[in-house]
């Protein structure tokens, strides 16, 4: 062929499927519950600060994002050199895989899990090793440890797992880390860390600080409600954090996003109170769905998971949700993920769980 061709692994990359926008329904308020977004608008003052920063967009942003690094270091009590900012945690996932993996290498992760993992692996030309989650949607950490070979360079542990919602415990994570060779990088993707309410919950910061091969990913997109600004960050031992910063596109985190991130950290207490409200809603939703007879897994993120046996059933559930003005996220054939949203949306979901045939 005479036209330019990408590497074969790039040509094989699946497209990232984003959550659908809500469908307009006359006489019915519709809700988008398909992207795990925060239903609350930004906190008072954040939009004004972002707008003020937008007045400076003729200039490049601070390439070192100094204020945001300092604010994160202060908020979490870590040295700035152990942080790496990027344009969403998704970008950090790509940077990690590209930095640590080449064409001969393998990346182990649970499946279903976050759909950016296989895309990032193909982008680097590496090989994805998918380890099925248990029937209850949990990571099978024993099987994941067993899947590590001499080719493995990176392992992802997504906790809470998107889309099944379950979390691994600190005890389980420690037992797993003890089995992983020291030269294998373990990426603990905690995009939903702020929503976790369980015994023996992971302390991501203590974990990365006690190991030379652990990276923790966090984001402003979910609990902080800044998905549209694209800011995520990693906690990592200094050499790994430096590698991540080296792999970032120069000036990636823009001037508006930097300002909004700093402003949001200044309002952390207020934001976390909203997270508490979402967790209260999550409890109401999980209890309501279980009371309707569904055996859904423990939900530790801002979403719930309905497991199905076929793509048809996933499509039927998504269509039934559409009918009542809820846009949900099917992952055929395994199941459907539904974000916790506005109270009215959540109530409709509980009602739908009551009326939809369990098959
Ligand atoms: C949403 C999400 C992310 C990252 O989101 P960004 O918006 O890119 O920061 C990372 N991991 C998981 C599991 C997610 O669900």
């Amino acid at each position: 062929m005479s036209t330019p061709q990408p590497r074969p692994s790039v040509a094989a990359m699946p497209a990232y499927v984003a959550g659908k926008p809500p469908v307009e329904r006359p006489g019915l308020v519709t809700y988008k519950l398909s992207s795990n977004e925060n239903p609350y608008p930004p906190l008072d003052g954040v939009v004004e600060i972002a707008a003020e920063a937008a007045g400076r967009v003729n200039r490049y942003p601070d390439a070192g994002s100094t204020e945001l690094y300092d604010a994160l270091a202060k908020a979490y009590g870590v040295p700035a050199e152990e942080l790496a900012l990027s344009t969403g945690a998704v970008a950090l996932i790509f940077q990690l895989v590209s930095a640590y993996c080449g064409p001969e290498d393998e990346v182990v992760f649970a499946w279903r899990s976050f759909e950016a993992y296989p895309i990032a692996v193909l982008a680097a030309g590496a090989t994805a090793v998918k380890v099925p989650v248990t029937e209850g949607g949990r990571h099978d950490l024993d099987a994941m440890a067993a899947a590590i070979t001499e080719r493995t360079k990176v392992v992802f542990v997504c906790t809470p797992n998107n889309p099944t919602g379950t979390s691994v415990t600190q005890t389980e994570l420690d037992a797993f880390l003890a089995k992983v060779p020291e030269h294998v990088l373990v990426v603990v993707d905690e995009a939903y860390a702020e929503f976790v309410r369980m015994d023996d919950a992971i302390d991501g910061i203590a974990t990365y600080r006690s190991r030379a091969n652990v990276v923790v990913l966090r984001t402003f997109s979910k609990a902080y409600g800044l998905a549209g600004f694209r800011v995520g960050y990693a906690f990592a031992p200094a050499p790994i954090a430096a590698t991540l910063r080296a792999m970032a596109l120069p000036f990636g985190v823009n001037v508006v996003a930097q300002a909004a991130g700093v402003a949001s950290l200044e309002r952390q207490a207020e934001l976390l109170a909203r997270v508490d409200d979402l967790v209260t809603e999550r409890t109401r939703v999980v209890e309501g769905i279980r009371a309707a007879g569904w055996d859904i897994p423990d939900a530790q993120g801002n979403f719930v998971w309905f497991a199905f046996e076929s793509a048809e059933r996933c499509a039927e559930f998504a269509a039934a949700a559409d009918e009542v003005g809820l846009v949900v996220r099917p992952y055929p054939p395994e199941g459907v993920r539904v974000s916790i949203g506005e109270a009215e949306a959540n109530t409709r979901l509980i009602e739908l769980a009551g009326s939809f045939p369990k098959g």
Side-chain angles (χ1 to χ4, degrees):
M1 205 174 293
S2 60
T3 56
Q5 295 297 312
R7 285 183 279 114
S9 64
V10 173
M13 279 164 62
Y16 186 98
V17 182
K20 278 200 310 170
V23 192
E24 293 274 336
R25 295 214 170 253
L28 185 67
V29 179
T30 57
Y31 295 97
K32 182 177 178 224
L33 306 180
S34 55
S35 296
N36 291 350
E37 292 152 344
N38 195 314
Y40 294 110
L43 285 176
D44 276 352
V46 174
V47 171
E48 289 71 13
I49 287 165
E52 192 262 323
R56 299 193 298 272
V57 290
N58 55 312
R59 304 290 179 192
Y60 279 103
D62 169 11
S65 300
T66 323
E67 275 186 55
L68 186 48
Y69 272 102
D70 288 349
L72 280 168
K74 190 159 152 255
Y76 291 100
V78 302
E81 62 172 12
E82 295 179 7
L83 287 165
L85 277 166
S86 199
T87 49
V90 162
L92 290 161
I93 290 164
F94 276 68
Q95 288 161 231
L96 278 164
V97 177
S98 318
Y100 289 91
C101 298
E104 302 300 313
D105 300 328
E106 294 175 352
V107 180
V108 173
F109 52 88
W111 199 250
R112 278 279 173 172
S113 189
F114 188 38
E115 70 172 302
Y117 303 153
I119 302 174
V121 171
L122 280 171
T127 299
V129 177
K130 298 177 175 177
V131 177
V133 294
T134 67
E135 209 165 304
R138 308 197 74 234
H139 275 45
D140 186 344
L141 291 173
D142 289 336
M144 288 174 69
I148 294 173
T149 70
E150 67 269 18
R151 293 193 166 187
T152 307
K153 291 285 168 21
V154 174
V155 179
F156 283 97
V157 176
C158 186
T159 178
N161 186 45
N162 175 9
T164 60
T166 58
S167 279
V168 311
T169 63
Q170 185 72 52
T171 306
E172 290 168 331
L173 182 64
D174 288 340
F176 176 72
L177 291 171
K179 290 189 224 167
V180 177
E182 280 167 10
H183 65 274
V184 174
L185 186 66
V186 179
V187 183
V188 183
D189 185 344
E190 290 198 292
Y192 303 94
E194 295 87 352
F195 297 99
V196 174
R197 302 286 184 276
M198 66 191 279
D199 292 337
D200 197 14
I202 287 176
D203 182 340
I205 293 175
T207 304
Y208 96 83
R209 296 203 86 173
S210 64
R211 307 245 167 202
N213 65 334
V214 174
V215 179
V216 172
L217 301 183
R218 300 276 181 90
T219 178
F220 282 101
S221 296
K222 309 288 166 43
Y224 282 80
L226 299 180
F229 282 145
R230 314 303 306 122
V231 197
Y233 51 100
F235 295 111
I240 298 172
T243 301
L244 278 173
R245 291 193 300 270
M247 290 296 286
L249 289 182
F251 303 110
V253 182
N254 70 65
V255 77
V256 180
Q258 289 183 30
V262 171
S264 296
L265 286 171
E266 282 164 0
R267 294 160 177 77
Q268 202 177 30
E270 228 177 307
L271 269 167
L272 295 180
R274 285 179 165 190
V275 170
D276 279 339
D277 291 343
L278 283 171
V279 169
T280 302
E281 277 294 282
R282 177 181 77 193
T283 304
R284 178 171 79 88
V285 169
V286 169
E287 286 174 357
I289 294 169
R290 287 188 177 151
W294 295 80
D295 180 21
I296 61 163
D298 187 30
Q300 291 294 327
N302 63 340
F303 54 93
V304 293
W305 174 249
F306 293 83
F308 289 110
E309 320 71 46
S310 68
E312 291 71 33
R313 292 274 295 154
C314 294
E316 281 165 23
F317 187 83
D322 256 350
E323 281 303 309
V324 296
L326 304 180
V327 182
V328 300
R329 181 65 206 277
Y331 289 90
E334 293 102 323
V336 176
R337 188 192 71 194
V338 189
S339 310
I340 303 299
E342 295 81 352
E344 165 62 18
N346 302 334
T347 299
R348 280 191 214 167
L349 176 64
I350 296 169
E351 287 164 5
L352 175 66
S355 62
F356 188 79
K358 274 167 279 304

